[in-house]
């Protein structure tokens, strides 16, 4: 046996093991020693459209394993470890010490709503899922929503409002001016809920701007303004149809008118002659929506100013008027008052007598009868005046007798 053969027997050559086999053995040993698992479930995320949504996956003992994100409904692989696989430029992935893995979805769209899976490439594979909810703020649909409306008084009207959003928005109706909304049963409410708002027998009090407000908890809420216009012919109210005034005093006549479309308003005198503006006459109009306050001020009443006046209101649906009669008042020093009534103050702080209309008409008829019979108008109340004079004479005689009976000087002069 040669020296080389002896050395081979004593020191046998070490067997060479392929590198691939070694790597496989090492991975097998590591797999047996390390068991990655999820530390906590994936929290569901809610994100508004256009914002960024972030889903997080927490893994414990990951070691050399890899984490991947997938879209469940489409089975699309989004990321593996730190690499983005999908061609969607809005997708990104980050991690914190290989423990918490974040899936970023920028500029969220409604189509991103759904389930997402976090996966560990163990054998068997481990995974868990989380849900992304995409919410959309409300938006009012113009083509399904009422526009400004014009209706005749007494008709029925329906206001409609349609809106989209996720979740589905709620619709609330309010008046823009903050006033109460009148319902058909006479009830008044601050708001009405529902996509349709029905008004039965609409009247002028319903006229105004209404706000259709859509909200679903996702800011911002949105609203649309709808103007409801109610048309009706003019109506006039006159508080004092008979007004007395002294010569030379300042007198103001008043009427109240309601009409829409807006009316033309003016004053007329006897035989429907329009009272001119300027000089001694000063007509004033105060406009408040469909309401008009008409005033006619006579700066200094003269005998020619007594008589009938009319406040006239006209619009495209009709016209109407109200009458006021101005009559003369006797002097305040006179013992006989021709017209009785309750004194009030007009806008010019002048005393005006608000007479009883029936009484004035009755006495006016007496006056006209005496004029026609050729009698004196001034003595139509003669009987009452004579009666008052007789009573006064009796009182004076009684007082004189008492004085004669009790006064001592007068007694001495009285014959025995």
């Amino acid at each position: 046996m040669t020296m080389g053969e002896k050395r081979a027997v004593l020191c046998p050559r070490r067997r060479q093991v392929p590198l691939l086999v070694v790597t496989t053995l090492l991975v097998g040993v590591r797999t047996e020693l390390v068991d990655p698992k999820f530390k906590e479930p994936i929290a569901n995320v809610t994100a508004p459209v256009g914002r960024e949504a972030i889903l997080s996956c927490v893994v414990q003992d990951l070691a050399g394993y890899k984490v991947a994100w997938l879209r469940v409904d489409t089975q699309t692989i989004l990321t593996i470890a730190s690499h983005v696989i999908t061609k969607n430029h809005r997708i990104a992935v980050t991690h914190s010490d290989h423990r918490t893995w974040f899936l970023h979805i920028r500029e969220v769209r409604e189509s991103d709503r759904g389930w997402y899976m976090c996966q560990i490439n163990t054998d068997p594979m481990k995974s868990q899922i989380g849900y992304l909810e995409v919410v959309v703020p409300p938006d009012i649909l113009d083509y399904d929503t009422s526009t400004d409306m014009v209706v005749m008084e007494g008709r029925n009207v329906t206001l409609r409002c349609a809106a989209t959003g996720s979740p589905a928005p709620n619709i609330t109706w309010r008046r823009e001016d903050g006033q109460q909304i009148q319902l058909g049963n006479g009830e008044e409410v601050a708001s009405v809920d529902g996509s349709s708002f029905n008004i039965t027998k609409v009247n002028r009090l319903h006229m105004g701007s209404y706000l259709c407000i859509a909200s679903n908890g996702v800011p911002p809420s949105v609203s649309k303004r709808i103007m409801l216009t109610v048309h009706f012919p003019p109506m006039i109210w006159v508080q004092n149809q008979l007004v007395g005034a002294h010569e030379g005093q300042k007198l103001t006549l008043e009427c109240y008118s309601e009409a829409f479309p807006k009316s033309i308003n003016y004053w007329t005198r006897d035989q429907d002659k329009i009272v001119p503006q300027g000089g001694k006459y000063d007509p004033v109009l105060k406009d408040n929506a469909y309401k008009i306050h008409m005033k006619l001020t006579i700066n200094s009443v003269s005998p020619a100013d007594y008589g009938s006046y009319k406040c006239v209101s006209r619009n495209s649906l009709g016209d109407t008027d109200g009458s006021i009669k101005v009559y003369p008042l006797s002097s305040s020093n006179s013992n006989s008052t021709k017209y009785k009534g309750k004194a009030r103050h007009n806008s010019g702080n002048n005393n005006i007598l608000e007479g009883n209309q029936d009484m004035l008409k009755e006495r006016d008829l007496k006056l006209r009868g005496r004029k026609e019979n050729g009698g004196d108008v001034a003595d139509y109340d003669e009987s009452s005046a004579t009666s008052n004079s007789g009573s006064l004479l009796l009182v004076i005689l009684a007082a004189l007798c008492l004085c004669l009976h009790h006064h001592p000087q007068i007694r001495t002069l009285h014959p025995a």
Side-chain angles (χ1 to χ4, degrees):
M1 181 179 294
T2 63
M3 186 63 68
E5 290 176 344
K6 290 180 179 179
R7 186 178 297 173
V9 172
L10 294 174
C11 300
R13 297 179 66 182
R14 184 174 295 177
R15 186 177 180 181
Q16 298 293 324
V17 180
L19 181 61
L20 180 60
V21 175
V22 173
T23 304
T24 303
L25 292 175
L26 291 174
V27 172
V29 171
R30 185 175 60 187
T31 304
E32 292 177 357
L33 297 177
V34 178
D35 182 20
K37 58 184 177 180
F38 295 108
K39 184 67 175 177
E40 57 189 53
I42 299 175
N44 295 332
V45 174
T46 299
V49 166
R51 302 292 181 85
E52 181 181 13
I54 302 176
L55 289 88
S56 59
C57 179
V58 182
V59 181
Q60 185 176 2
D61 300 328
L62 182 60
Y65 291 98
K66 298 183 184 301
V67 173
W69 283 99
L70 295 84
R71 177 75 184 263
V72 174
D73 55 354
T74 61
Q75 293 296 310
T76 304
I77 300 175
L78 303 177
T79 67
I80 297 178
S82 298
H83 303 286
V84 176
I85 306 302
T86 181
K87 294 181 179 180
N88 188 343
H89 68 279
R90 298 183 295 111
I91 300 296
V93 62
T94 60
H95 64 85
S96 175
D97 297 329
H98 291 81
R99 184 174 183 272
T100 304
W101 294 82
F102 300 99
L103 176 67
H104 300 260
I105 307 175
R106 296 185 293 267
E107 300 174 8
V108 170
R109 303 172 183 174
E110 285 192 78
S111 58
D112 295 326
R113 183 187 293 114
W115 293 97
Y116 290 82
M117 177 183 289
C118 176
Q119 181 179 11
I120 306 175
N121 64 336
T122 56
D123 188 15
M125 176 267 294
K126 294 181 179 181
S127 65
Q128 63 177 359
I129 59 175
Y131 191 80
L132 171 61
E133 175 62 56
V134 179
V135 294
V136 183
D139 184 33
I140 294 178
L141 303 175
D142 289 335
Y143 60 86
D144 276 340
T145 299
S146 299
T147 56
D148 293 348
M149 303 183 69
V150 178
V151 294
M152 288 296 297
E153 192 170 41
R155 302 283 182 86
N156 298 336
V157 65
T158 299
L159 303 180
R160 292 183 174 85
C161 185
T164 60
S166 181
N170 298 318
I171 304 297
T172 302
W173 296 90
R174 295 181 183 273
R175 287 192 65 124
E176 188 179 39
D177 57 11
Q179 295 183 9
Q180 297 286 91
I181 297 176
Q182 291 196 352
L183 302 181
N185 57 4
E187 182 183 0
E188 293 186 349
V189 295
S191 63
V192 176
D193 295 327
S195 58
S196 296
F197 173 31
N198 300 315
I199 305 177
T200 304
K201 293 184 178 179
V202 66
N203 61 59
R204 64 199 67 181
L205 298 178
H206 291 115
M207 183 159 26
S209 297
Y210 292 81
L211 296 177
C212 156
I213 305 170
S215 58
N216 63 351
V218 183
S221 297
V222 293
S223 65
K224 183 176 180 180
R225 179 178 180 269
I226 301 172
M227 181 66 187
L228 177 62
T229 302
V230 181
H231 280 187
F232 55 94
M235 299 180 67
I236 280 184
W237 290 265
V238 179
Q239 291 183 341
N240 301 318
Q241 293 183 330
L242 289 169
V243 179
H246 298 285
E247 288 187 26
Q249 81 170 65
K250 187 176 183 180
L251 175 66
T252 299
L253 309 179
E254 296 181 275
C255 286
Y256 295 88
S257 171
E258 294 184 4
F260 207 88
K262 288 192 173 184
S263 56
I264 298 173
N265 301 274
Y266 56 92
W267 291 87
T268 65
R269 287 227 38 199
D270 300 320
Q271 299 179 353
D272 295 332
K273 293 180 180 179
I274 296 178
V275 176
Q277 185 171 4
K280 68 186 304 182
Y281 298 108
D282 185 16
V284 176
L285 298 178
K286 291 185 178 180
D287 190 350
N288 181 15
Y290 58 87
K291 298 181 180 180
I292 302 292
H293 185 187
M294 302 176 62
K295 291 184 177 182
L296 176 63
T297 299
I298 306 174
N299 293 315
S300 179
V301 175
S302 65
D305 296 321
Y306 296 120
S308 296
Y309 293 79
K310 286 184 180 180
C311 47
V312 182
S313 179
R314 298 174 180 270
N315 71 1
S316 58
L317 301 177
D319 61 83
T320 188
D321 60 65
S323 297
I324 300 177
K325 184 176 181 179
V326 179
Y327 60 88
L329 290 176
S330 60
S331 173
S332 59
N333 296 328
S334 174
N335 291 330
S336 176
T337 302
K338 302 297 183 182
Y339 298 96
K340 298 180 180 180
K342 181 181 178 182
R344 70 180 182 89
H345 293 282
N346 70 340
S347 59
N349 294 325
N350 298 306
N351 291 332
I352 300 177
L353 222 54
E354 181 180 351
N356 182 290
Q357 185 176 356
D358 295 333
M359 179 187 72
L360 293 172
K361 286 183 178 179
E362 181 180 353
R363 295 196 175 187
D364 190 42
L365 291 175
K366 289 182 180 180
L367 287 170
R368 291 179 183 177
R370 289 187 176 273
K371 284 183 177 180
E372 292 174 357
N373 296 330
D376 187 4
V377 177
D379 64 351
Y380 80 97
D381 202 13
E382 183 180 355
S383 60
S384 60
T386 305
S387 176
N388 291 336
S389 301
S391 300
L392 181 60
L393 182 60
L394 290 175
V395 172
I396 294 173
L397 290 175
L400 182 60
C401 290
L402 289 173
C403 291
L404 292 174
H405 183 266
H406 292 285
H407 201 284
Q409 294 180 358
I410 296 178
R411 286 183 188 176
T412 57
L413 296 175
H414 196 279

